[in-house]
Amino acid sequence: MRLANRLNQFQRLWQPSLGAPQQATVAELAERCFCSERHMRTLLRQAQLAGWLTWEAQSGRGKRGTLTFHTSPHNLRGTLMEQALTSGHSQNALELTRLAPEQLRHLLQPFLGGQWQNDTPTLRIPYYRPLEPLRPGFLPGRAEQHLAGQIFSGITRFDPDSAEPQGDLAHHWQVSPDGCVWQFYIRSTLHWHSGERIETHQLQARLQLLLSDPPLARLFASVKQIEVPHARCLTFRLHYPDYWLPWRLASYCSRLAHPENTQLGSGPFRLVAFKPDLVRLECHESWHLQHPVLKAIEYWITPQLFEQEMGTSCRHPAQIAIGDPDELTTLRPVSNSISLGFCYLAVRQHGSLSRAQARRIMQIIHQSGILDTLPLDENLITPTTELVPGLTIPDWPAHAEALPRHLTLVYHLPGELHTMAAQLERYFADLGCTLNVLFHNAKNWTGCAQLAGADLVMGDRLIGEAPEYTLEQWLRSDVLWPALLTAEQYAQLQTTLNAVQAEPRHAQRNAGLHQVLAALMNDAVLTPLFNYRYQISAPPGVNGIHLNALGWFDFTRAWLPPPEIREEAGGRGPGALP
């Protein structure tokens, strides 16, 4: 804040003449800067020593001195930002950016993207909103879920090169023939970000804390007891078989913080700053797996860069630009994909709609062209008829049942569902049905009082690295399902999920879960609406960027060539993507 104050004081001195020499008394300058004459003399002396201006005083009280400027506030701001970043004070740099978006884009241009600061490869990402606190357990946002995976380790982890979970804190594991006893053998060289050695009993304590959370308790309902039979072994004893257990332990919601400090982890990056306008991660030198090349990651929370009227196509969270948003046309799309996650519409089974009416609504959505004509940004969404690849919506006979005169729709974020709700409201009105539309301003259904009275609901379902397992986790833990289904239907769903998880073979478990989801779609409980098109754009020289299932990228795989190599390569590092 001190740098920002000094800049503001300089700007007050500079403004009356716009940088031309001024004749003024110390008293006049002090009044302009809202300080005492004594403090004004100190400010002038400091600014002159820094080379910003020259103050030539005249002897005698009330005599006017001459103020000559050697820089402008704009240039000074850039100089101060460079000094702050070079000294590792990113927060001070951000405090200097309180500008209109048009000015801010030009000021930030040299600092965003991949930079080397003090021989430290640093990646700076402009982001459109403050990040929510990283609490243990379920997190609503993709960015927060991704961060949890970079900061915290799990007993197991998902690997993009493998269809099944791999060891993380656990080197390996074994399971008893009946599937009810799982032993995870913990690595011997583990450290928290504080430098403290990780003890197995600490992992046990954090897991027990996680299982006290109701949604996670539902997810781990099979767990009877967690034991530490010896210093490097963690044993899970189950009430009944659960061959999804390694998947459950690999999920972001099961990543383990220190039992006494929820912000202290053991992942590849440690959390150094978590503020409304800056989140900074630094490499954890004692991480137990392959060390990342990047030494620091910074999220610069600059929502003013993402105003809609400015036309920046990266303002939506599905599209990430690593670099200056003012020059998006020069950033190259390095990775893009169609998200497996989807927005959906679901129907409450004990509400106003019959099954035939529910099926007609789903036919309207998929056959009327509503999804193809949503007035949304080009290339942001793609309508879908699949819940996951290979699981297609039912092909029912045509339904012509009249809709009830009144229905209630409740939906939550993302913003595209605002547009979808408005389209449905108009379409239903033409069919003689008044749709009462209620918005739950959140990213999930937690705390939604209107959910119990809804006839229709719309939401967003994120899909992680293991699509079938992620959907099983959704059916297990989300408060949506007991609200949508009758008590009997919900109990039957959980019984069926228990039967599926008891199957040791991975392919057969996936097939069993497909049958569960197909039944929900055939009974007109659930239908997908559209997927997002994820895209990451980056300036030349930022390498190793590959989209993951959450639309982000593994920070441990990204890298920047040293400045001299980048210059020799004409701005592109060796191995850079075209």
Side-chain angles (χ1 to χ4, degrees):
M1 186 60 71
R2 184 179 177 186
L3 287 180
N5 286 338
R6 293 177 68 185
L7 178 64
N8 290 337
Q9 297 286 45
F10 179 83
Q11 188 154 355
R12 292 189 183 105
L13 296 174
W14 185 88
Q15 188 64 37
S17 66
L18 297 179
Q22 299 177 19
Q23 300 293 318
T25 66
V26 170
E28 289 170 343
L29 297 178
E31 183 178 359
R32 195 185 301 170
C33 292
F34 307 104
C35 65
S36 67
E37 292 183 33
R38 181 179 179 182
H39 186 57
M40 189 70 248
R41 290 189 180 92
T42 301
L43 291 177
L44 290 170
R45 185 169 58 254
Q46 291 175 343
Q48 184 160 309
L49 288 172
W52 304 349
L53 53 78
T54 299
W55 168 246
E56 297 177 275
Q58 296 293 326
S59 60
R61 185 169 181 82
K63 293 288 186 179
R64 292 180 178 275
T66 302
L67 192 60
T68 305
F69 296 93
H70 305 312
T71 187
S72 68
H74 177 79
N75 291 335
L76 179 57
R77 191 186 300 265
T79 299
L80 293 176
M81 285 186 66
E82 182 67 42
Q83 292 173 356
L85 290 170
T86 300
S87 60
H89 298 139
S90 300
Q91 182 66 45
N92 290 345
L94 273 171
E95 287 170 353
L96 294 165
T97 63
R98 310 302 186 207
L99 294 171
E102 298 80 7
Q103 298 171 285
L104 183 59
R105 292 203 311 276
H106 295 294
L107 181 65
L108 291 185
Q109 178 178 347
F111 304 116
L112 296 177
Q115 303 285 334
W116 281 70
Q117 297 289 339
N118 291 337
D119 294 327
T120 299
T122 301
L123 191 64
R124 295 194 179 95
I125 304 170
Y127 203 59
Y128 78 108
R129 64 170 175 85
L131 295 171
E132 298 178 22
L134 299 180
R135 303 180 304 273
F138 288 108
L139 296 166
R142 286 190 301 116
E144 288 81 1
Q145 292 181 17
H146 174 69
L147 267 182
Q150 302 295 299
I151 296 171
F152 304 105
S153 300
I155 301 298
T156 56
R157 65 186 177 94
F158 291 119
D159 187 320
D161 300 323
S162 175
E164 300 193 9
Q166 304 298 302
D168 192 350
L169 295 173
H171 181 271
H172 65 283
W173 61 90
Q174 61 187 30
V175 57
S176 63
D178 64 358
C180 289
V181 179
W182 294 72
Q183 291 181 308
F184 294 86
Y185 296 93
I186 307 302
R187 299 178 191 269
S188 59
T189 56
L190 300 175
H191 292 83
W192 298 108
H193 291 155
S194 61
E196 174 191 355
R197 288 181 61 87
I198 294 177
E199 304 295 341
T200 306
H201 68 83
Q202 293 176 315
L203 305 181
Q204 177 196 36
R206 173 50 66 184
L207 282 164
Q208 289 172 337
L209 287 170
L210 285 178
L211 268 58
S212 66
D213 180 58
L216 282 167
R218 292 193 291 271
L219 186 64
F220 287 93
S222 63
V223 176
K224 177 181 179 181
Q225 192 171 351
I226 303 174
E227 303 171 350
V228 180
H230 59 80
R232 305 253 61 91
C233 181
L234 198 63
T235 298
F236 287 74
R237 297 191 182 275
L238 310 185
H239 296 288
Y240 40 84
D242 182 4
Y243 286 93
W244 287 123
L245 185 60
W247 278 258
R248 302 196 196 285
L249 294 171
S251 177
Y252 81 90
C253 62
S254 305
R255 297 294 177 111
L256 301 178
H258 191 286
E260 298 174 1
N261 183 349
T262 59
Q263 301 304 295
L264 187 63
S266 60
F269 289 89
R270 59 189 179 91
L271 188 61
V272 176
F274 197 98
K275 300 179 180 180
D277 53 3
L278 176 72
V279 173
R280 179 178 171 88
L281 314 179
E282 293 182 359
C283 177
H284 175 35
E285 299 294 344
S286 297
W287 192 42
H288 48 279
L289 299 177
Q290 182 177 350
H291 284 197
V293 175
L294 289 176
K295 295 300 182 183
I297 308 285
E298 291 181 350
Y299 291 72
W300 284 23
I301 314 300
T302 49
Q304 60 268 52
L305 290 181
F306 299 89
E307 294 294 335
Q308 183 165 349
E309 61 268 23
M310 293 174 60
T312 52
S313 63
C314 65
R315 68 179 177 271
H316 194 278
Q319 299 176 342
I320 302 168
I322 307 165
D324 177 27
D326 191 38
E327 297 190 354
L328 284 176
T329 56
T330 67
L331 301 179
R332 72 195 195 286
V334 294
S335 192
N336 60 76
S337 67
I338 302 297
S339 163
L340 289 181
F342 52 84
C343 285
Y344 62 86
L345 180 138
V347 177
R348 188 160 67 98
Q349 295 300 287
H350 43 101
S352 305
L353 290 162
S354 68
R355 181 168 296 175
Q357 290 171 323
R359 286 180 172 178
R360 186 187 178 196
I361 288 173
M362 293 179 179
Q363 285 181 325
I364 288 171
I365 286 171
H366 290 289
Q367 297 175 11
S368 66
I370 289 178
L371 295 173
D372 295 302
T373 58
L374 288 177
L376 297 172
D377 289 351
E378 185 179 2
N379 296 325
L380 179 60
I381 66 167
T382 180
T384 185
T385 57
E386 290 186 319
L387 204 60
V388 291
L391 192 55
T392 308
I393 61 173
D395 183 18
W396 297 308
H399 288 269
E401 285 76 8
L403 299 182
R405 294 184 61 185
H406 299 278
L407 288 172
T408 296
L409 167 68
V410 178
Y411 70 99
H412 65 61
L413 292 168
E416 286 66 41
L417 291 182
H418 292 310
T419 306
M420 184 69 191
Q423 293 283 78
L424 288 177
E425 187 176 12
R426 288 191 291 269
Y427 201 97
F428 279 32
D430 292 339
L431 297 176
C433 175
T434 300
L435 190 63
N436 179 31
V437 176
L438 304 174
F439 173 53
H440 177 55
N441 189 15
K443 297 175 184 175
N444 56 33
W445 296 114
T446 302
C448 180
Q450 302 98 331
L451 184 59
D455 299 301
L456 305 172
V457 299
M458 288 195 303
D460 182 29
R461 184 65 244 165
L462 298 176
I463 296 294
E465 292 88 341
E468 285 78 10
Y469 165 70
T470 304
L471 290 174
E472 198 271 356
Q473 177 176 287
W474 184 36
L475 298 176
R476 282 261 182 216
S477 302
D478 202 307
V479 296
L480 172 69
W481 300 106
L484 286 183
L485 303 175
T486 65
E488 182 180 355
Q489 288 172 325
Y490 183 69
Q492 181 58 45
L493 173 64
Q494 300 306 309
T495 299
T496 304
L497 293 176
N498 287 346
V500 171
Q501 75 180 28
E503 170 54 61
R505 295 166 296 177
H506 179 43
Q508 279 70 16
R509 279 200 313 282
N510 283 353
L513 192 63
H514 274 224
Q515 293 178 8
V516 174
L517 295 165
L520 290 173
M521 289 198 295
N522 190 59
D523 291 342
V525 178
L526 175 69
T527 195
L529 301 175
F530 51 80
N531 306 110
Y532 283 107
R533 296 177 183 267
Y534 289 157
Q535 177 174 304
I536 294 181
S537 299
V542 180
N543 304 291
I545 304 293
H546 301 283
L547 274 168
N548 63 18
L550 292 173
W552 281 86
F553 60 96
D554 188 344
F555 294 159
T556 67
R557 299 191 176 199
W559 59 277
L560 305 172
E564 59 274 12
I565 294 179
R566 191 182 307 187
E567 291 170 5
E568 291 174 6
R572 289 182 57 194
L577 294 173

